[in-house]
């Protein structure tokens, strides 16, 4: 996913002139990322639910095995949250770029 984002960001940097095809392509990439974000949000919520249930179970039973699983799930949760915020921040920057493209294409009065 990081390579995909990096490749599109390089594409955005190398745009010489914004035209409608470039704008539509960028919107399509945003749509792909929105789908990716939705899937990651669902998985993040489910992972959080499993982590919390396991943590509560480990706390109630004081089972060392459950505590170890809760620790592993907690670490996984932290990395997953980091990845989700990476996706979120890049899509937000792509929204700003799309707004800029839209302004250049349709709202500039000097054309």
């Amino acid at each position: 996913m990081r390579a995909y984002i990096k490749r599109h960001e390089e594409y955005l940097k190398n745009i010489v002139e914004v035209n409608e095809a470039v704008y539509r392509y960028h919107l399509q990439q945003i749509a792909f990322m929105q789908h990716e974000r939705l899937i990651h949000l669902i998985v993040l919520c489910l992972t959080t639910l499993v982590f919390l249930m396991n943590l509560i179970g480990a706390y109630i039973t004081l089972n060392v095995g459950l505590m170890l699983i809760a620790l592993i799930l907690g670490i996984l949760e932290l990395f997953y949250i980091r990845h989700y915020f990476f996706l979120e921040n890049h899509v937000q920057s792509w929204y700003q770029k799309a707004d800029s493209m839209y302004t250049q294409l349709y709202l500039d009065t000097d054309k």
Side-chain angles (χ1 to χ4, degrees):
M1 184 54 53
R2 289 180 185 268
Y4 176 82
I5 290 171
K6 186 176 181 180
R7 188 172 54 245
H8 186 64
E9 299 230 342
E10 283 297 318
Y11 171 79
L12 291 174
K13 285 180 188 173
N14 294 327
I15 292 174
V16 177
E17 181 183 339
V18 176
N19 57 36
E20 199 157 328
V22 169
Y23 179 63
R24 278 188 273 123
Y25 175 74
H26 182 59
L27 291 179
Q28 183 64 47
Q29 299 308 305
I30 289 174
F32 291 154
M33 289 300 292
Q34 286 174 333
H35 180 263
E36 191 74 24
R37 276 176 36 209
L38 176 63
I39 298 302
H40 280 280
L41 180 62
I42 292 168
V43 173
L44 178 63
C45 289
L46 291 175
T47 305
T48 302
L49 184 64
V50 170
F51 167 67
L52 290 176
M53 289 172 46
N54 195 292
L55 188 64
I56 291 169
Y59 181 74
I60 291 172
T61 63
L62 296 176
N63 184 328
V64 176
L66 285 178
M67 289 179 193
L68 183 62
I69 292 172
L71 177 67
I72 291 169
L73 286 173
I75 293 169
L76 174 70
E77 188 75 20
L78 291 174
F79 281 106
Y80 215 87
I81 289 170
R82 181 175 171 248
H83 178 69
Y84 183 76
F85 274 101
F86 173 79
L87 291 176
E88 184 68 31
N89 290 335
H90 280 83
V91 171
Q92 293 293 327
S93 71
W94 289 6
Y95 288 157
Q96 292 172 353
K97 183 66 176 174
D99 288 344
S100 172
M101 288 178 177
Y102 181 85
T103 301
Q104 287 178 0
L105 281 174
Y106 302 113
L107 300 181
D108 277 349
T109 56
D110 56 351
K111 286 187 177 182

